[in-house]
C-alpha cells in the first residue's frame, strides 16, 4: 500500500495517574495515592492512529480538536507520529483521567463534553480522505462520524477503498460500502437492539445472530464481533443466513485491556489495505490485540511516550521475561518464579504452576535447555525441544513468560531475574537446592509447594512400550509388484 491509512474519528486526552498507596485517608475509607506520576496519551481515534503508525504505516488522522490546553497537548503528541487534519471541536476537549494505585484501578474521572458540529472542515480534511489507501473509522460518539461534510467524503471513499468501522452505541451507522465493522459484544447487542432486533442471550450463538442482522441491515461485507479473551467472531454478509461464522481464538493474555479494540481494528484495517481477505484481517487483529494486552496495553503506550517518545510497545507473550518483571515491579507487584525441565507436561506440572501463580502478580518459568536436560537426564532426553516446551508453557494462562537457561542450575538466571519468591515442589523437601542461597542473598524467599504424587515425566516414559524397529523399505521391484491390484493406493 502506497497511499496512507486515514483514521477518522473522535480523539480524547487520556491521562493515567499512577502511584503507591500504603494507607487510607483518615476522613474517608479511600486510599491515599503517593508518589503519583502523570502520563498523558491520545485516546480514541488518536490511539488507533498511533498504533498503526507504530507499525510503520503512513497515517493521516482526521478529527476535531478544540483550541484549549488539552487540545494543544493532543495535537503536539500526535503531530510527532501522524499527520493531523483537524477541524473545530465545539466545547472542551474530552478527557479521561484514570487513577491507579499499585497497578490497580481506583477511579476514573471524565471531563469535557466537546462535540464536532456541522460546518466547514477545510481542504486538508477533504484531501486526506480523497487520498486514502484505506480508512479506519474510530467512532467514540463525539460527532465526527456524523458531521455532514465528513460523512459525504466517507461515503465516496467507501466505494473505492477498504473501510473498517469501529462503532460506538452513541455514534453513527457505517456508510454504504463499509468492508468490516468491529463492535464488541456489548456494542453489537446495543446496536442490533437499536435497529429493532430482538435477540436475547449471550455466547457465540447470540453474537452470530447479531452480527448477521447488522451485516444485512447495513449491507456490510462483514461484521467481526470482538469477544475479549475469546477472540473475535466474523460473519461475512456475502455468505447469507446459512453461512458459517469464522472464529479467530485469542492467545491467553493477562492485563489491562484498555485500547485492545483500537489495536484490533487498526491491525485489521492494515491487512485489508494490503489486499488481505476478511478472515485474514480478523485473525491478524486478534493476534495483535492479544500482544497489545500482554505488553501492557494503553498504559504501556503512555509509559513509552513518556520515556522514549515512541508509541511502540513490544509484544508481551513472546517475550521477554524481563519486560514482564519490569512491568510487575513498576506496579508494585510480586514476582514469582519456578523452574525445571517440563519435558512432558503433566498434571503435577500444572498443579505446581497454578499454585505458584497465586502467590504473586506474575509467574516466570525458568526452563532447562536441551543440553542442560541431557546432562541431567541422559542422552535420550529431552523428548521435547526447548522451543516447544516454552511454547506449551506460555500457552497456559498461569504462565506470564518462560525463559531458557543453559547451565545445570538456574543460579545465574536468578541473579538477573531476582524473583521475590522462588518456588519448587515439596518433593525437594530436605534436599539441598543450589539456588536457594542465591535467592536468599538478594532478599528473596524459597517456597516449597505440594506436588501430585506419582506424576513425573520419567515415570510416564517408563510406562511406554519398547520401540519396535521400523520395517525395511521394499525394493523397487517389490514395490512395483505390491502396487498391482491396487487403485489409487487403496488395497483391492
Amino acid at each position: 500500500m502506497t497511499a496512507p491509512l486515514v483514521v477518522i474519528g473522535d480523539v480524547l486526552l487520556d491521562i493515567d495517574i499512577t502511584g503507591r498507596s500504603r494507607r487510607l485517608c483518615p476522613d474517608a475509607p479511600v486510599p491515599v495515592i503517593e508518589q503519583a506520576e502523570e502520563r498523558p496519551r491520545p485516546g480514541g481515534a488518536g490511539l488507533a492512529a498511533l498504533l498503526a503508525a507504530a507499525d510503520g504505516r503512513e497515517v493521516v488522522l482526521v478529527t476535531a480538536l478544540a483550541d484549549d490546553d488539552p487540545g494543544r497537548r493532543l495535537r503536539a503528541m500526535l503531530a510527532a507520529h501522524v499527520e493531523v487534519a483537524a477541524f473545530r471541536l465545539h466545547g472542551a476537549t474530552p478527557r479521561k483521567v484514570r487513577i491507579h494505585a499499585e497497578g490497580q484501578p481506583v477511579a476514573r474521572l471524565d471531563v469535557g463534553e466537546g462535540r464536532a458540529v456541522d460546518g466547514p472542515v477545510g481542504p486538508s480534511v477533504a484531501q486526506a480522505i480523497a487520498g486514502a489507501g484505506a480508512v479506519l473509522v474510530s467512532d467514540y460518539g463525539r460527532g465526527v462520524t456524523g458531521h455532514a461534510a465528513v460523512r459525504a467524503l466517507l461515503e465516496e471513499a467507501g466505494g473505492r477503498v477498504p473501510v473498517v468501522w469501529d462503532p460506538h452505541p452513541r455514534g453513527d451507522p457505517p456508510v454504504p460500502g463499509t468492508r468490516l465493522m468491529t463492535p464488541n459484544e456489548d456494542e453489537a447487542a446495543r446496536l442490533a437492539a437499536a435497529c429493532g432486533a430482538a435477540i436475547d442471550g449471550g455466547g457465540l450463538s447470540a453474537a452470530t445472530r447479531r452480527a448477521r442482522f447488522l451485516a444485512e441491515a447495513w449491507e456490510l461485507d462483514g461484521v467481526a464481533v470482538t469477544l475479549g479473551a475469546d477472540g473475535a467472531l466474523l460473519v461475512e454478509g456475502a455468505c447469507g443466513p446459512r453461512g458459517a461464522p469464522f472464529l479467530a481464538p485469542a492467545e491467553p493474555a493477562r492485563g489491562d485491556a484498555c485500547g485492545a479494540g483500537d489495536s484490533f481494528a487498526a491491525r485489521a484495517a492494515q491487512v485489508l489495505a494490503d489486499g488481505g481477505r476478511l478472515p485474514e484481517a480478523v485473525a491478524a487483529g486478534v493476534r495483535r490485540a492479544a500482544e497489545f494486552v500482554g505488553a501492557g496495553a494503553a498504559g504501556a503506550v503512555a509509559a513509552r511516550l513518556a520515556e522514549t517518545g515512541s508509541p511502540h510497545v513490544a509484544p508481551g507473550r513472546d517475550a521477554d521475561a524481563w519486560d514482564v518483571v519490569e512491568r510487575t515491579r513498576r506496579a508494585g507487584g510480586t514476582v514469582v518464579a519456578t523452574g525445571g525441565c517440563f519435558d512432558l507436561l503433566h498434571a503435577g506440572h500444572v498443579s505446581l504452576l497454578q499454585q505458584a501463580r497465586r502467590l504473586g502478580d506474575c509467574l516466570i518459568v525458568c526452563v532447562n535447555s536441551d543440553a542442560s536436560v541431557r546432562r541431567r537426564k541422559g542422552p535420550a532426553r529431552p523428548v521435547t525441544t526447548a522451543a516447544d516446551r516454552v511454547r506449551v508453557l506460555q500457552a497456559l494462562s498461569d504462565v506470564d513468560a518462560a525463559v531458557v537457561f543453559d547451565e545445570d542450575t538456574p543460579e545465574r538466571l536468578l541473579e538477573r531475574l531476582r524473583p521475590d519468591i522462588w518456588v519448587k515442589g515439596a518433593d525437594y523437601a530436605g534436599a539441598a537446592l543450589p539456588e536457594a542461597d542465591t535467592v536468599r542473598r538478594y532478599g528473596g524467599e524459597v517456597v516449597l509447594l505440594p506436588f501430585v504424587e506419582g506424576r513425573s515425566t520419567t515415570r510416564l516414559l517408563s510406562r511406554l512400550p519398547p520401540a519396535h524397529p521400523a520395517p525395511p523399505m521394499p525394493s523397487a521391484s517389490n514395490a512395483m509388484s505390491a502396487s498391482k491390484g491396487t487403485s489409487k493406493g487403496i488395497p483391492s
Side-chain angles (χ1 to χ4, degrees):
M1 171 185 161
T2 55
L5 172 67
V6 176
V7 179
I8 303 173
D10 312 285
V11 175
L12 304 83
L13 178 62
D14 283 343
I15 299 173
D16 293 334
I17 297 177
T18 61
R20 306 181 66 179
S21 179
R22 293 290 184 267
R23 60 193 176 92
L24 294 177
C25 180
D27 52 357
V30 295
V32 175
I33 312 299
E34 300 173 319
Q35 301 176 357
E37 180 182 359
E38 179 181 298
R39 289 175 173 165
R41 59 176 168 81
L47 177 61
L50 280 184
L51 296 178
D55 287 336
R57 289 278 167 173
E58 180 185 358
V59 177
V60 181
L61 173 63
V62 172
T63 189
L65 291 174
D67 188 21
D68 55 11
D69 180 65
R72 289 187 287 273
R73 292 176 73 186
L74 274 173
R75 188 185 288 272
M77 283 189 286
L78 289 163
H81 307 283
V82 304
E83 180 183 340
V84 180
F87 55 98
R88 183 186 174 194
L89 182 78
H90 292 254
T93 297
R95 305 184 298 286
K96 293 183 180 180
V97 182
R98 295 175 175 86
I99 302 173
H100 298 260
E102 312 290 349
Q104 298 298 318
V106 175
R108 192 180 94 179
L109 178 65
D110 289 6
V111 293
E113 297 299 326
R115 289 189 61 83
V117 298
D118 287 344
V121 295
S124 65
V125 171
Q127 291 166 6
I129 299 176
V135 172
L136 168 60
V137 175
S138 184
D139 191 351
Y140 273 75
R142 300 282 181 164
V144 169
T145 60
H147 190 286
V150 173
R151 198 164 183 85
L153 292 165
L154 268 171
E155 288 176 354
E156 189 278 328
R160 58 180 179 81
V161 298
V163 175
V164 174
W165 198 285
D166 193 9
H168 192 281
R170 295 195 304 272
D172 291 86
V175 297
T178 293
R179 188 82 188 278
L180 179 67
M181 187 171 75
T182 62
N184 61 32
E185 281 188 281
D186 178 66
E187 290 166 343
R190 293 168 67 180
L191 290 168
C195 291
I199 301 173
D200 297 325
L204 294 179
S205 175
T208 300
R209 285 180 286 143
R210 290 177 181 126
R212 188 164 285 135
F213 174 86
L214 292 170
E216 293 172 357
W218 285 329
E219 299 180 353
L220 308 173
D221 287 358
V223 175
V225 180
T226 56
L227 307 170
D230 293 325
L233 181 141
L234 168 68
V235 168
E236 297 189 65
C239 293
R242 296 183 181 275
F246 170 77
L247 179 65
E251 292 286 331
R254 183 184 290 106
D256 183 4
C258 180
D262 299 300
S263 175
F264 171 86
R267 185 59 185 156
Q270 293 177 69
V271 172
L272 294 177
D274 292 337
R277 299 180 301 110
L278 287 175
E280 295 171 34
V282 170
V286 167
R287 287 193 298 272
R288 179 54 55 86
E291 292 172 353
F292 182 68
V293 171
V301 174
R304 289 280 293 171
L305 286 171
E307 294 164 6
T308 68
S310 168
H312 179 75
V313 292
R317 287 293 302 178
D318 290 328
D320 223 64
W322 319 108
D323 286 347
V324 174
V325 170
E326 181 185 352
R327 290 199 306 271
T328 303
R329 291 226 163 92
R330 194 186 314 146
T334 298
V335 177
V336 183
T338 189
C341 300
F342 298 95
D343 196 0
L344 292 180
L345 199 67
H346 53 71
H349 291 140
V350 173
S351 175
L352 177 75
L353 296 171
Q354 288 174 332
Q355 294 177 80
R357 183 59 178 81
R358 295 188 195 114
L359 297 178
D361 299 287
C362 75
L363 175 62
I364 310 298
V365 181
C366 304
V367 182
N368 292 79
S369 71
D370 294 345
S372 175
V373 175
R374 277 192 293 273
R375 289 193 299 268
R376 292 187 59 194
K377 304 289 186 179
R381 300 280 297 276
V383 177
T384 309
T385 65
D388 283 354
R389 286 181 278 138
V390 166
R391 184 173 182 180
V392 170
L393 285 165
Q394 291 193 153
L396 301 177
S397 61
D398 290 298
V399 176
D400 293 274
V403 59
V404 177
F405 64 94
D406 199 43
E407 297 78 20
D408 291 340
T409 67
E411 291 167 86
R412 289 178 58 187
L413 178 57
L414 291 174
E415 281 281 12
R416 296 176 61 199
L417 281 174
R418 298 195 164 219
D420 301 294
I421 301 174
W422 173 247
V423 169
K424 295 295 284 185
D427 49 332
Y428 282 88
L433 287 173
E435 65 269 24
D437 288 341
T438 300
V439 174
R440 294 185 181 113
R441 192 161 49 244
Y442 66 71
E445 296 180 58
V446 178
V447 174
L448 301 182
L449 292 176
F451 68 102
V452 179
E453 189 70 44
R455 304 297 195 276
S456 76
T457 299
T458 301
R459 185 168 296 192
L460 285 173
L461 291 173
S462 70
R463 293 175 181 171
L464 294 177
H468 295 288
M473 293 292 292
S475 66
S477 59
N478 289 340
M480 291 295 294
S481 299
S483 69
K484 294 178 181 179
T486 66
S487 175
K488 296 183 180 179
I490 304 172
S492 58

